[in-house]
Amino acid sequence: MEKKPFVTKEQIEEIVKTHPTPFHIYDEKGIRENARKLKEAFSWNKGFKEYFAVKATPNPSILKILKEEGCGTDCSSMAELVMSDRAGFHGNEIMFSSNDTPDEEFAYAYKIGATINIDDITHIPFVKKACGCIPKRMSCRYNPGGVFTLGESKEGFQVMDNPGDAKYGLTKDQLMEAYSTFKAEGVEEFGMHAFLASNTISNDYYPALAKILFSLAVEIKEKTGVKLSFINLSGGVGVPYSPDKEPNDIMKIGEGVRKVYEDVLVPAGMGDVEIYTELGRFMLAPFGHLVTKAIHEKHTYKEYIGVDACAANLMRPAMYGAYHHITVLGKENAPLDHVYDVTGSLCENNDKFAIDRKLPEIEMGDYLVIHDTGAHGFAMGYNYNGRLWSAELLLRENGDVTEIRRAETIDDYFATLDGYWDVI
């Protein structure tokens, strides 16, 4: 799959006149088109709703776009709950899926009417104490344990992830107990949620997960008398960070889930169960770029290009060794006849956006687009070495560029040192 930037060199040269690099920029047109395609893929389910994972891109301007496209939000902290509420999401438009959760966060989620998705059996009395009751609509996060595999290849079954090592979710027995307890407490709407694999590049992941959850939903109904109102397939549908992979086909994925729905839930009298997704990376990653400028070159044992962004702006390569494609603007068609490590300025040797990457010759002042940073890019930023958070910009459908978060300043960095400068 060829990766092309959604901005040109000429556009960036104009943008940097008022917004110096580095910055993250998002593509409104791409975001909207993708949200509509997801909705179309699951249009067979009358209650379908995407609950965007706020942690992926926590910016109210992005949330506003997604709300206009019919999405809700999935939150995992107080700040995300407050942001969703202030951005105009209310009640069942908000899902609260957290773990090791403080009581004040459960209380606030209940106050704004969010659907609470518990992560552990012990959270039931905790929620009751924090909220003063068990809310009428509750959900449970399921963890089947073991190793999750998908399909069969020449080497055997493809290992997708290892739920048994994950800190999240309830066992099957705990799940049965939780729904029975909810029923006794007067809960009226019940949901289930599970997240078994991350960033899958496979059209089979959601249908395979759906079969597990739909079959379990039927068993829950038979054993506890609880009929689920909704099943949340969570996230896990990924994006191809490298150009040698093909993207997921969300229409095929939606059709695969539909077939399982009709095979498992409909015959059990559960053909009205609402299907939810909770995608972050799939919704936003391809529609964000980190734009940075080449400011240094170094010729030692390797060839290095130093840019004005660093791991504080995009942690994934340093943290996971993750691949992010790089385009040198204006040199899209130039031969890839140089090999570079592309580095940032942190005092850490893992502060590298690319290692031994084949790129066109890079000259000082060239602008580099680092692809697929629309999710878990800016959001995972930090202040190590006193590096400041970058600005976030939005490329509007009409071509205008709007600043949706200003760059952090030195005064911002020192702002939480209450009174310190007054006493030294």
Side-chain angles (χ1 to χ4, degrees):
M1 183 191 76
E2 185 179 3
K3 285 190 174 287
K4 295 181 179 180
F6 55 77
V7 288
T8 64
K9 178 184 177 182
E10 291 72 26
Q11 284 177 298
I12 293 302
E13 287 174 337
E14 190 63 30
I15 291 169
V16 298
K17 292 177 182 178
T18 50
H19 301 288
T21 55
F23 53 77
H24 287 269
I25 186 167
Y26 308 102
D27 176 22
E28 179 182 7
K29 182 174 184 288
I31 294 169
R32 289 188 184 277
E33 289 177 350
N34 198 45
R36 291 168 189 173
K37 195 168 184 179
L38 172 66
K39 189 174 181 180
E40 181 185 355
F42 285 88
S43 60
W44 53 266
N45 184 264
K46 292 182 179 180
F48 172 76
K49 196 171 189 67
E50 154 66 7
Y51 287 83
F52 175 69
V54 178
K55 61 180 173 288
T57 320
N59 188 296
S61 295
I62 298 296
L63 298 188
K64 181 177 182 291
I65 291 171
L66 293 172
K67 181 175 174 56
E68 289 172 356
E69 298 299 334
C71 300
T73 61
D74 172 73
C75 302
S76 59
S77 70
M78 177 69 84
E80 293 176 5
L81 286 168
V82 172
M83 181 181 291
S84 295
D85 184 51
R86 292 183 180 179
F89 295 87
H90 302 298
N92 292 345
E93 294 178 325
I94 304 172
M95 189 78 64
F96 183 52
S97 302
S98 67
N99 64 94
D100 195 19
T101 307
D103 56 3
E104 62 268 20
E105 295 187 6
F106 278 134
Y108 185 77
Y110 175 65
K111 177 183 176 182
I112 63 174
T115 299
I116 294 175
N117 181 35
I118 66 165
D119 183 66
D120 185 69
I121 190 73
T122 64
H123 288 180
I124 297 177
F126 196 88
V127 167
K128 186 174 183 178
K129 182 179 179 182
C131 302
C133 67
I134 296 293
K136 297 297 183 183
R137 177 179 163 97
M138 290 292 295
S139 178
C140 293
R141 182 169 184 166
Y142 172 56
N143 184 332
V147 175
F148 177 64
T149 59
L150 182 65
E152 190 171 11
S153 65
K154 294 179 181 178
E155 294 77 26
F157 286 97
Q158 179 186 6
V159 176
M160 299 298 288
D161 221 322
N162 192 347
D165 281 347
K167 67 175 182 175
Y168 310 107
L170 290 78
T171 68
K172 184 176 178 179
D173 288 343
Q174 290 173 338
L175 205 65
M176 297 295 178
E177 180 184 346
Y179 288 120
S180 295
T181 302
F182 283 159
K183 186 178 180 182
E185 290 282 352
V187 173
E188 297 172 357
E189 291 185 77
F190 306 84
M192 180 167 53
H193 166 288
F195 181 87
L196 302 190
S198 179
N199 195 41
T200 62
I201 307 300
S202 169
N203 295 330
D204 297 326
Y205 168 61
Y206 254 8
L209 173 62
K211 187 172 183 179
I212 292 171
L213 298 185
F214 296 172
S215 299
L216 182 55
V218 174
E219 187 176 349
I220 290 167
K221 180 183 177 184
E222 292 172 348
K223 291 185 176 180
T224 69
V226 167
K227 180 177 176 295
L228 299 184
S229 301
F230 64 87
I231 295 175
N232 188 338
L233 299 177
S234 187
V237 177
V239 299
Y241 285 96
S242 57
D244 60 334
K245 294 188 175 79
E246 288 299 315
N248 287 312
D249 185 332
I250 197 63
M251 300 306 293
K252 287 184 179 179
I253 291 172
E255 177 62 13
V257 174
R258 183 192 65 79
K259 289 180 179 177
V260 180
Y261 189 97
E262 293 182 352
D263 288 345
V264 178
L265 290 181
V266 173
M270 300 178 69
D272 58 347
V273 173
E274 297 178 347
I275 301 302
Y276 301 158
T277 56
E278 190 184 285
L279 299 168
R281 195 188 316 262
F282 177 83
M283 297 297 290
L284 258 293
F287 311 108
H289 294 331
L290 173 58
V291 181
T292 183
K293 182 168 69 173
I295 58 173
H296 287 288
E297 56 185 329
K298 185 173 183 176
H299 316 283
T300 54
Y301 306 106
K302 302 181 77 172
E303 294 295 302
Y304 295 94
I305 293 295
V307 297
D308 59 4
C310 64
N313 306 110
L314 179 64
M315 185 194 288
R316 296 186 74 254
M319 187 174 186
Y320 305 121
Y323 179 97
H324 280 264
H325 198 65
I326 295 175
T327 296
V328 183
L329 291 178
K331 299 181 178 180
E332 290 85 349
N333 299 316
L336 307 180
D337 54 3
H338 286 64
V339 178
Y340 298 112
D341 281 15
V342 179
T343 74
S345 59
L346 294 189
C347 297
E348 295 289 343
N349 196 44
N350 66 352
D351 183 19
K352 297 178 179 179
F353 294 114
I355 298 174
D356 296 330
R357 185 74 61 85
K358 291 182 178 180
L359 292 165
E361 181 179 11
I362 298 176
E363 300 168 276
M364 297 304 93
D366 279 349
Y367 292 106
L368 280 64
V369 158
I370 302 177
H371 291 253
D372 301 313
T373 68
H376 310 291
F378 179 93
M380 294 177 72
Y382 55 105
N383 280 131
Y384 183 58
N385 278 182
R387 295 298 170 186
L388 305 178
W389 291 65
S390 66
E392 290 182 290
L393 310 178
L394 180 64
L395 176 64
R396 297 288 187 181
E397 290 185 288
N398 64 3
D400 291 344
V401 173
T402 303
E403 182 179 76
I404 58 175
R405 190 192 302 266
R406 67 168 174 80
E408 189 179 28
T409 67
I410 289 289
D411 286 341
D412 293 329
Y413 180 75
F414 291 133
T416 55
L417 297 169
D418 289 344
Y420 180 74
W421 303 114
D422 298 331
V423 296
I424 60 170

